[in-house]
Amino acid sequence: MIQLKNTTVLGKNKKIVKFLLAIYLCIMSYYLYTHQYYNADIEAYMGLVYKANFPDMKIEEIHKKVYDELKPKRPEITQVDENRVEEADGESSYYKILSENPKVYEEEIQLFTVKPFYNFINSIFFNLGFKAATSTFLITIISYVLILILIFSFLLKTVKNDYVAFGFTILISLFKPLLDASRHATPDGLSCLLLLLSFYFVAIKRNLFIATIVGILCILTRPEYFIFYSFLLGILYIFRSDFNFKAKEIVLAFVYFALTFGIIQYFNQIPWSVLFMNQFTKVQLYPISNPDAFNFGEYLACIKSKLLIEFNTSYFPLLLIFIILILDYKLILNKNRKAFIFLSLYAAIYITVFVRFIMFPSLVTRMMVGFYLIIILSLITYQSSKSQIIDKTA
């Protein structure tokens, strides 16, 4: 009788918490919809929406449609930003030139075709009747909602307390990088959702097949996640018995990821050197047809000048402190497998971030939000299960 009563109370608590979360998500969705930031990339994604849905439309007409829609919402787009601190020469006047020159704009939007899944979703919203600008940021708002639902579901299984899981979810929802990603018309929110979803299917559901499909979509949203997934598959291969995965499954997953990344690069056909020089040295008006030659000296100078600044202004040093404080080194010295899994995960994240930095020396917080959330959620999991790990070790 007592057990039945406790089950009824727990069920009632879960319903209350889910109702409160639903109300909160509705409020936050409205806030994000009314407080969108029209960032510099939005005009490129809008152009790709028009190109995908009207392949015969001339670039001059696409250009006019995009800027006619953007100018009332972002009037500074046609002006030179004199207050901007230029990372690359010509950056402050570049977007004004884009708004005036359709041919320059045509080459600019080609640089953004490397994220086909995000562009595909944008086209779906456009076909549903939304304006091009709205289509490009609706997915970030929806991703924000789904990320929080996924985090709540994950925490329910981890901390096993409805109200604690709800409290953690609210705190994470206010995490600045997550809110920033959800106010920009970029693939960052969608790629974060897909990354967390693939993690969920590995860690909770133990379903590598679905995790691989989601991972492929993540790479199609942001190709550089191929680096991280490669390290993760290496960890899964080493600890495959802990996850009940077969070596063949893991190798096949890597093959699928490599093929996805390779296909993107084949159709993209824009060298990394062109992207680097255009973003970090001198902004090119015609980056594809007339790019600057790659200069290794300028590349090294850029890396050296940004190395400490970028890492110190990110959340990675702070999260590293929490990792050092929370990890139990007695378990690591005793070669506890679960402790080694967590340690390997953190090592994979930091190595991935460093490799990515060497390629593109910028750690924009909205682009790093997926890594931040994985660290935060795994630390909560580790702290919640530490006593069980110690008991099993003893």
Side-chain angles (χ1 to χ4, degrees):
M1 188 70 179
I2 295 173
Q3 186 177 0
L4 182 62
K5 187 177 180 181
N6 288 337
T7 304
T8 304
V9 171
L10 289 173
K12 187 177 180 181
N13 288 341
K14 194 173 292 258
K15 287 181 180 179
I16 292 171
V17 169
K18 287 182 177 179
F19 176 74
L20 291 174
L21 181 63
I23 297 297
Y24 179 76
L25 291 177
C26 289
I27 294 170
M28 290 302 294
S29 297
Y30 177 76
Y31 169 79
L32 292 172
Y33 185 83
T34 55
H35 290 78
Q36 273 297 304
Y37 174 68
Y38 290 86
N39 55 298
D41 294 347
I42 192 170
E43 64 247 31
Y45 292 121
M46 289 171 65
L48 290 173
V49 167
Y50 280 114
K51 281 195 73 174
N53 289 277
F54 305 102
D56 296 329
M57 186 181 288
K58 292 183 178 180
I59 190 62
E60 288 80 10
E61 188 177 352
I62 292 175
H63 182 267
K64 185 177 186 305
K65 283 180 175 293
V66 167
Y67 285 97
D68 282 351
E69 186 177 341
L70 277 182
K71 282 174 186 177
K73 300 169 182 176
R74 190 174 166 233
E76 70 276 10
I77 201 170
T78 59
Q79 303 168 6
V80 175
D81 188 356
E82 297 179 353
N83 297 321
R84 185 185 184 108
V85 178
E86 291 192 335
E87 188 168 325
D89 292 340
E91 200 172 28
S92 58
S93 60
Y94 180 63
Y95 293 102
K96 179 179 185 297
I97 295 171
L98 279 183
S99 69
E100 298 170 344
N101 192 323
K103 292 300 181 184
V104 175
Y105 174 76
E106 184 176 25
E107 293 208 6
E108 163 75 7
I109 65 177
Q110 289 184 56
L111 301 177
F112 292 81
T113 58
V114 74
K115 297 135 186 176
F117 186 62
Y118 174 70
N119 293 322
F120 172 71
I121 298 295
N122 291 342
S123 290
I124 289 176
F125 284 119
F126 183 75
N127 284 318
L128 289 174
F130 294 99
K131 290 184 177 180
T134 306
S135 299
T136 59
F137 67 71
L138 268 180
I139 186 59
T140 64
I141 299 173
I142 294 172
S143 295
Y144 174 83
V145 171
L146 294 177
I147 285 169
L148 293 182
I149 292 173
L150 185 61
I151 287 172
F152 178 68
S153 301
F154 181 85
L155 290 173
L156 278 178
K157 295 181 182 296
T158 302
V159 299
K160 297 179 181 178
N161 183 298
D162 298 348
Y163 291 105
V164 172
F166 176 72
F168 273 131
T169 303
I170 298 301
L171 289 174
I172 292 172
S173 74
L174 300 175
F175 186 43
K176 188 177 183 297
L178 180 57
L179 283 175
D180 283 347
S182 304
R183 292 184 61 230
H184 283 70
T186 67
D188 302 311
L190 179 59
S191 62
C192 175
L193 170 64
L194 294 169
L195 179 65
L196 293 180
L197 196 59
S198 60
F199 252 79
Y200 182 81
F201 277 105
V202 167
I204 302 297
K205 296 297 185 180
R206 297 291 199 269
N207 191 323
L208 187 58
F209 176 73
I210 296 180
T212 301
I213 294 174
V214 176
I216 288 170
L217 295 178
C218 185
I219 294 171
L220 288 171
T221 304
R222 270 206 172 276
E224 64 266 29
Y225 273 113
F226 170 69
I227 303 169
F228 188 45
Y229 277 114
S230 298
F231 284 121
L232 288 180
L233 288 175
I235 295 171
L236 284 180
Y237 186 85
I238 295 169
F239 297 101
R240 59 188 181 277
S241 61
D242 299 83
F243 292 90
N244 294 320
F245 294 148
K246 295 178 181 178
K248 183 180 178 181
E249 292 179 291
I250 298 170
V251 172
L252 278 175
F254 177 77
V255 170
Y256 293 140
F257 289 154
L259 285 173
T260 303
F261 183 75
I263 289 169
I264 292 172
Q265 298 309 312
Y266 176 79
F267 285 103
N268 181 35
Q269 294 184 337
I270 299 172
W272 162 81
S273 57
V274 170
L275 296 175
F276 181 89
M277 295 299 288
N278 183 47
Q279 185 169 347
F280 296 103
T281 59
K282 182 181 178 181
V283 175
Q284 295 291 289
L285 297 182
Y286 296 94
I288 297 172
S289 62
N290 187 31
D292 270 356
F294 179 72
N295 187 304
F296 189 72
E298 290 181 337
Y299 164 74
L300 284 181
C302 183
I303 295 292
K304 290 178 182 177
S305 66
K306 289 172 166 287
L307 186 59
L308 288 177
I309 294 173
E310 289 292 327
F311 277 94
N312 287 338
T313 54
S314 71
Y315 286 81
F316 288 112
L318 179 63
L319 290 172
L320 184 59
I321 292 172
F322 283 109
I323 291 171
I324 292 170
L325 289 173
I326 290 176
L327 279 178
D328 193 318
Y329 295 95
K330 289 182 181 178
L331 294 176
I332 295 172
L333 291 173
N334 289 332
K335 299 181 180 179
N336 179 271
R337 290 181 68 84
K338 283 195 175 180
F340 269 114
I341 291 172
F342 282 98
L343 186 62
S344 300
L345 173 62
Y346 302 137
I349 290 173
Y350 279 85
I351 293 171
T352 298
V353 171
F354 182 75
V355 171
R356 186 191 180 282
F357 176 82
I358 294 299
M359 296 174 65
F360 293 100
S362 177
L363 300 180
V364 181
T365 55
R366 59 181 169 80
M367 296 182 185
M368 300 293 111
V369 65
F371 296 131
Y372 294 151
L373 292 180
I374 287 174
I375 293 174
I376 292 169
L377 292 173
S378 62
L379 285 175
I380 293 172
T381 303
Y382 184 84
Q383 187 64 24
S384 300
S385 61
K386 187 188 285 187
S387 58
Q388 296 175 9
I389 297 173
I390 293 171
D391 290 342
K392 288 183 180 179
T393 304

